Amino acid sequence: MVMKAKGKAILLVFLVFVCFGLAAVHASTVYITADNLTGTNLFGTLDVASGQFNQIASTGPVFLGLTTGPGGKIYGADANSGHLFTISSSGATKQYGSVTAPSAFYGLAYSHSAGNFFADNLDPMNVTLYSITGDGNSSSLVGQIAGPNSGYFPTGNLAFGSGGNLYFNYSSDLANGGANSTLYSVNTSTGALTAVGSGLGCDILALFSDGNALYGIDANVTSDIGVFRIDTTTGVATQVSTVTGLPGGDSFYVDAATVSTPDAGFTLALFIFALAPLLGKRKPSPPLP
């Protein structure tokens, strides 16, 4: 009986590692969107270390903002309709809520602690930050981020990093077409920006984070598209790879990126599913005398 108990204990520990290991694998998937400005919009995965893009689907909406939100689902902001959408891992899209961007949302980030989205609206003169309820049905203006007409702004330009900090980047270098970008932290109560360091040392970037490190993908070019890791202390970006695998002979811009995260309920369900057979075979207790 002792050996059997030990065997079950070892098996339970193994199952815990398997279940949480599956969740970790799921969480490591980076999804990105790209478009060629002529109506072809791509959705796929990116291997950050190698830069390899693998297309999953083409989408009707053009998602300039991307985040992982409620239920561990992927959410995108469509530039054409102004609506939010959910995007399945197979690339299927469905409108989420009823909020519409005043002009177009260029960045989208979900706060897991607050339970709401943040999106920045870009019009011809100003960039303004909005808070959107978790159900996607109402929004409120937080404040102006930049403007009037003050720089080059990338798509996918909002991301929450470690410590719950919201990050944004843009370039005020009008003479060089956005080649010199700066990282900013965003005050989620007012929209005010605080520069992190004196410059990223690279082009304008679509931002994403795995919860620890902050990354960016060059959103301003269609060839030699760099993938960067960003030091959130100095604001300096270091290139780790170059995107490959986009179709069309260097005709696609990367729009946005996000790292998928598993829903806690999904991880728990995996564990219960694996544990159920063991619980089902447990020897019944003897009746009380």
Side-chain angles (χ1 to χ4, degrees), residues 10 44 68 70 137 145 157 168 207 211 253-254 276 279:
I10 292 171
T68 302
N137 285 321
I145 291 181
N157 54 27
F168 175 82
L207 302 176
Y253 291 91
V254 171
L279 294 176

Side-chain angles (χ1 to χ4, degrees), residues 1-2 9 39 47 57 88 99 111 117 121 131 141 144 157 160 178 203-204 209-210 230 244 261 265 285:
M1 293 295 292
V2 173
D47 184 307
S88 74
V99 163
S111 170
F117 298 92
N121 181 76
S131 174
L141 175 65
Q144 181 173 295
N157 54 27
F160 277 100
D203 215 339
I204 48 178
S209 173
D210 61 6
I230 304 169
T244 59
T261 54
S285 301

Side-chain angles (χ1 to χ4, degrees), residues 189-229:
S189 297
T190 65
L193 300 180
T194 300
V196 181
S198 57
L200 286 164
C202 65
D203 215 339
I204 48 178
L205 304 177
L207 302 176
F208 66 99
S209 173
D210 61 6
N212 295 307
L214 183 67
Y215 295 89
I217 307 172
D218 196 326
N220 204 29
V221 295
T222 59
S223 62
D224 297 322
I225 301 171
V227 182
F228 298 84
R229 181 177 176 131

Side-chain angles (χ1 to χ4, degrees), residues 132-156:
I132 303 172
T133 55
D135 60 8
N137 285 321
S138 63
S139 65
S140 58
L141 175 65
V142 175
Q144 181 173 295
I145 291 181
N149 195 23
S150 57
Y152 283 86
F153 300 91
T155 57

Side-chain angles (χ1 to χ4, degrees), residues 92-211:
T93 64
K94 181 180 180 181
Q95 185 178 327
Y96 183 76
S98 56
V99 163
T100 303
S103 296
F105 289 138
Y106 268 55
L108 183 68
Y110 181 72
S111 170
H112 291 273
S113 59
N116 60 280
F117 298 92
F118 288 93
D120 64 282
N121 181 76
L122 185 72
D123 65 31
M125 291 297 291
N126 299 289
V127 184
T128 45
L129 183 69
Y130 284 81
S131 174
I132 303 172
T133 55
D135 60 8
N137 285 321
S138 63
S139 65
S140 58
L141 175 65
V142 175
Q144 181 173 295
I145 291 181
N149 195 23
S150 57
Y152 283 86
F153 300 91
T155 57
N157 54 27
L158 283 180
F160 277 100
S162 61
N165 296 312
L166 182 61
Y167 292 101
F168 175 82
N169 82 110
Y170 80 98
S171 172
S172 58
D173 186 358
L174 301 178
N176 291 296
N180 300 299
S181 184
T182 300
L183 181 70
Y184 297 87
S185 62
V186 185
N187 185 317
T188 56
S189 297
T190 65
L193 300 180
T194 300
V196 181
S198 57
L200 286 164
C202 65
D203 215 339
I204 48 178
L205 304 177
L207 302 176
F208 66 99
S209 173
D210 61 6

Side-chain angles (χ1 to χ4, degrees), residues 6 25 34 67 73 76 87 89-90 111 141 178 181 185-186 202 216 223 227 233 257 263 277-278 284:
K6 285 184 177 179
V25 169
T67 191
K73 295 179 180 179
I87 312 168
S89 57
S90 63
S111 170
L141 175 65
S181 184
S185 62
V186 185
C202 65
S223 62
V227 182
T233 301
D263 181 30
L278 291 177

